[in-house]
Each structure stands twice: as C-alpha cells, then as structure tokens.
Amino acid sequence: MENKNLSRKEFLSITGKTAAVSAAASLPLSALTTTDLFGQNAGKTTSPPASVPQAQDEPIVLEKWKSDVDQQSGPTPTPMPPGGRIRYAVVGLGHLALEEILPALSTCKKSRLTALVSGSPQKMQKVAAQYGIKPENCYSYQTYDQLKNNQEVDVIYIVLPNALHKEYVIRGARAGKHILCEKPMATSSKECEDMIAACRSANVKLMIAYRIQYEPHNRKLRELIKTQTFGIPKFIEASNAQSSANPAHWRFKKALAGGGALPDIGLYCLNTNRFILGEEPIEVFAYQYSTPGNPLFKEVEELISWQMRFPSGVIASCASDYNVHESRRYRVLCDKGWLNMDKAYAYKGQKLTTARAEGMMEKQEEISLAEKNQFALEIDHFSDCILHNKEPFTPGEEGLQDHILMEAIYQSAKEGKPVKINGQGKPPQRGPEPKLD
Ligand code: NAD
C-alpha cells in the first residue's frame, strides 16, 4: 500500500524528527512506501554474502559496492586476538612515546602494550590509567631489570635519548626480552657492535625502528626504482630539516645526542637512500656549519650537507638542518623520468609524484596510496618476526651501517676531503621483506 495520503505531520510523528528530516530532504514524501516508513524490513535484516576465510591473517572480503572508477579501500584489518599478540614494555614516556608510539600500539594487529618504564611516577600513573596498564607492570629506571621476571612482557621498546640506548638495550637483552630500539641506534658504531653482541649472546632479537622502511609510499618508490619504471637512477637530492628551540633539551647536548642534525634527522636521508637503492655508499664528502654564538649549537651541528657515491654510479646529495623551516623531501633523477617524495620522512602525508615525457607532453602523476600508521606497521613487523622466528628487516646491523657512514661523514667534514667506506658497497645482512597488510 502506498502512503500517498499520509500528511507531513503524521510522517514526523511516526518516524521521529531526525529520520524524517533526512528522509524528507532526499525524497518527496509521496515517493516513500509504508515499508520505508515503518521499517517492516527491520525484523528481517540480512547481511549480503561475504567471504570469511578461516586463517586469522586472511581478511574478510565484503561485497563490492564502489566502482573501479574510484580508489579502492584497503583489505579489512586482521587483528589477532589480544591474548595471542606480542606484548611490549615501552621505556621512556617522552614526545615520541606519548604522541606516536602508544597511540600506534593501540592500532596494532599483532602487538599490544603491557608495561611502562619511566622516571616520572606521576606521568606514568596517568599514562597507565589511559592505556589500562596494571600498576605492577609499571617500572622505574631503577627497577627496570625486574622486567626479567615479568611473564607479560616479550619486547622492550627503547625510546630514550640516544646515548642511553646502549645501556638499556644491553640490560633489556640480559633480562631475556627481545629489543626494539629507536633510531639512531646509539652514538657510535662501537656501541652498536656491543648492542648486537649482547642481543646475540642473550639469544634475543634486535630491531632498529626505521619506520620509513615500512611506510607504503616510500616502499612503492623503492619498487619503482627496482623495476626501473623510470629508467636507471642517476642522482638523488634529499633533505630533512626542521627548526629547534630549547638549548637545554638533550638533543643539543653532545653527550646525550651523539651529534646534531645528522644523527637525529639527517639519518633519514642516509638510511632512506640506502633503502631505496639497495646498495651501500663507497665514498662520502661533507660540509658542516653552526651559526656562531647560537646557544643551540654550542655542542652539536646545526647544518650538515654531504654527498655519497654508490657502486652503481648514483650520487646522492643530502642536507640536514636544525635551524630552518621544516622540509622533508627527496627526488630521484632517473634517465627516463624522476620520482619525487614530499613529506618523505614525516609521520604521515607522504606525497609521491613522478614525471616522464610522452611525445610532446611531460606527464606528471601523483601516486596516492591508502595512508597507514607507519609506527604500527613497523611494530607489527617486529612482532611477526618473533611469532614466526624470522630476522627483522631492519636489524641491529642496519643501525650499525648508518653509524659507520655517519662517522665517515663527520670525518670528511672535519678533514675537508672525501672519505672512502670499507665494505665494497655490500648491504648488511637483513631479514626477509616484511609482509605489511
Ligand atoms: P624526549 O626527550 O621527548 O623523550 C625522552 C624520554 O627519555 C623522556 O621521557 C625523558 O624523561 C626520558 N629520559 C630518561 N633519562 C633521560 C635523561 N638523562 N635526559 C633526558 N631525558 C631522559 O625525546 P623523543 O623525541 O621522544 O626521542 C626519544 C628517542 O626516539 C630518541 O632516540 C629519538 O632519536 C627517537 N625518535 C625517533 C623518531 C622516529 O620517528 N622514529 C621521532 C622522534 C624521536
């Protein structure tokens, strides 16, 4: 029966004002049937067919409704049941931990937060309440070693100032826990060697948190280089720069930071170049500069600029600065086109564009992928390595290699001449490609 004779007043009284307003906005009342109005189908709600695979890591595939004209959404997430996930203790509740890592852990599929370590009981109490961490799983730096008796922790994630990484990695390994350590791995290559040895002798895994190697846009660019879609790479320009304040912060104390712009943010240019090319520099040449009298740069460098020569002939020109407006980008010039990444090293918002000639046109394209939380991808990769006993894609050796190169960069800047790197451009050993879904 059609409702042609129903008045607007009757309609509002039956359906409720909100539903009526939205329905009435899109349809003339006379077009609605009594089924629409009275929801006779409500009691007979059915789901359209969906494919529901048995395997936990296979996504549920829902029925299609978008046309291929639009960008498709990614597969539905496949979180593990919380009881089966790898359990993390996060050490150091500063900017990175509170702003990025703890929120990311909440979105992980194979990992969850179970413990905290902090020097501030008041801050830790609040964070523990926010994330549902039991009081008995909250530790100070003094009680840190007692983590070894905690059966609810599999991994210790070190998010402390750089110079403290070595001590907390080694103590964590001795507590029998796997270790995820923030970049830069340490303050020297010697420290890295000690950390690798300690994890090896404790038979625990060690991964360095190089999130860009798990970020989809940077991975896509690497794939386009590998497949030579734009020809052979010849030259890379890369910069990572930001503006600093607060000379009292550990980042501006050499003993705690190990250096200035280079190990903190220049490292991204260095590590990402190595990652996207899949080869290692054989020579570096650098300059550095700090504005005289600026209290920020009494101990660490403000600006560092360096070139790297790779065995294939690629030359990369990189720069990092602590005293300019934020800029994080790189461009790979190839013999048939270029690939450009804006916001390359940012926490989100990567923008990948490419260019090549097509007859009389230069064709520029933007490749836009579904945005994913790179911290969650990275953490879940480490959990996956533990669950399936694999080596991490960014192991301690990856951090060591960056420190060897950074030492050569500083040496070159100091001596004013190129420095050759031992190792014939062979990449360090790393685990299998991560499966990022
Ligand atoms: P932060 O200063 O905000 O936090 C450091 C934490 O360490 C604080 O909670 C502080 O209280 C604690 N701490 C313990 N002992 C300390 C000491 N002696 N001096 C100073 N602080 C001490 O620093 P952050 O920005 O969170 O950086 C922490 C680590 O994470 C660094 O290694 C940094 O390079 C790295 N980081 C990585 C990324 C990334 O994108 N992967 C981004 C930022 C920082």
Side-chain angles (χ1 to χ4, degrees), residues 188-203:
S188 71
S189 57
K190 172 71 179 75
E191 285 187 351
C192 298
E193 283 166 359
D194 294 346
M195 292 155 79
I196 292 168
C199 290
R200 197 167 290 144
S201 77
N203 201 21

Side-chain angles (χ1 to χ4, degrees), residues 92-97 123 141 159-162 164-165 182-184 209 211 249-251 256 264 268 347 375:
L93 301 179
H95 287 86
L96 186 69
K123 183 167 52 172
Y141 298 118
V159 201
L160 291 167
N162 309 340
L164 303 179
H165 291 183
E182 260 313 322
K183 51 53 59 184
R211 60 184 164 79
H249 192 263
W250 66 264
R251 276 190 167 75
L256 279 170
D264 191 24
Y268 285 91
Y347 296 154
F375 290 95

Side-chain angles (χ1 to χ4, degrees), residues 356-374:
R356 71 171 118 205
E358 243 184 49
M360 306 277 286
M361 295 190 297
E362 186 189 58
K363 196 169 170 190
Q364 291 197 15
E365 281 178 329
E366 181 179 339
I367 298 172
S368 162
L369 304 171
E371 191 130 16
K372 295 198 174 168
N373 184 315
Q374 31 183 299

Side-chain angles (χ1 to χ4, degrees), residues 236-434:
I236 303 178
E237 42 173 349
S239 56
N240 196 9
Q242 65 194 35
S243 181
S244 319
N246 188 5
H249 192 263
W250 66 264
R251 276 190 167 75
F252 308 101
K253 306 288 172 207
K254 191 155 195 300
L256 279 170
L262 178 60
D264 191 24
I265 52 175
L267 175 61
Y268 285 91
C269 306
L270 174 58
N271 187 266
T272 306
N273 278 339
R274 296 177 42 236
F275 167 62
I276 60 174
L277 291 174
E279 58 177 339
E280 298 298 316
I282 46 176
E283 190 172 89
V284 297
F285 184 28
Y287 290 105
Q288 75 176 63
Y289 176 78
S290 296
T291 307
N294 187 328
L296 285 163
F297 310 116
K298 259 190 189 156
E299 299 184 25
V300 300
E301 80 280 358
E302 169 183 339
L303 163 64
I304 187 131
S305 157
W306 74 99
Q307 296 217 318
M308 300 193 279
R309 203 159 63 74
F310 288 84
S312 65
V314 175
I315 291 176
S317 180
C318 308
S320 187
D321 197 308
Y322 253 171
N323 198 20
V324 293
H325 178 67
E326 183 176 308
S327 173
R328 313 185 190 282
R329 56 187 295 275
Y330 64 90
R331 180 173 286 202
V332 186
L333 308 187
C334 305
D335 62 358
K336 297 196 179 98
W338 51 249
L339 303 111
N340 190 81
M341 189 76 78
D342 282 323
K343 293 204 168 233
Y345 318 113
Y347 296 154
K348 57 183 177 188
Q350 279 71 21
K351 196 170 166 202
L352 169 57
T353 44
T354 62
R356 71 171 118 205
E358 243 184 49
M360 306 277 286
M361 295 190 297
E362 186 189 58
K363 196 169 170 190
Q364 291 197 15
E365 281 178 329
E366 181 179 339
I367 298 172
S368 162
L369 304 171
E371 191 130 16
K372 295 198 174 168
N373 184 315
Q374 31 183 299
F375 290 95
L377 291 173
E378 160 195 276
I379 296 167
D380 272 343
H381 168 67
F382 193 43
S383 296
D384 194 57
C385 291
I386 294 162
L387 287 165
H388 300 106
N389 195 21
K390 291 183 294 192
E391 272 312 295
F393 188 63
T394 51
E397 287 75 4
E398 181 72 357
L400 167 63
Q401 175 67 354
D402 278 337
H403 277 279
I404 292 170
L405 291 165
M406 288 192 290
E407 283 163 8
I409 290 168
Y410 279 133
Q411 185 189 336
S412 170
K414 195 169 160 199
E415 295 175 354
K417 57 183 189 195
V419 171
K420 292 213 185 308
I421 315 291
N422 292 328
Q424 285 95 42
K426 208 171 139 255
Q429 192 101 20
R430 56 159 95 223
E433 290 286 331

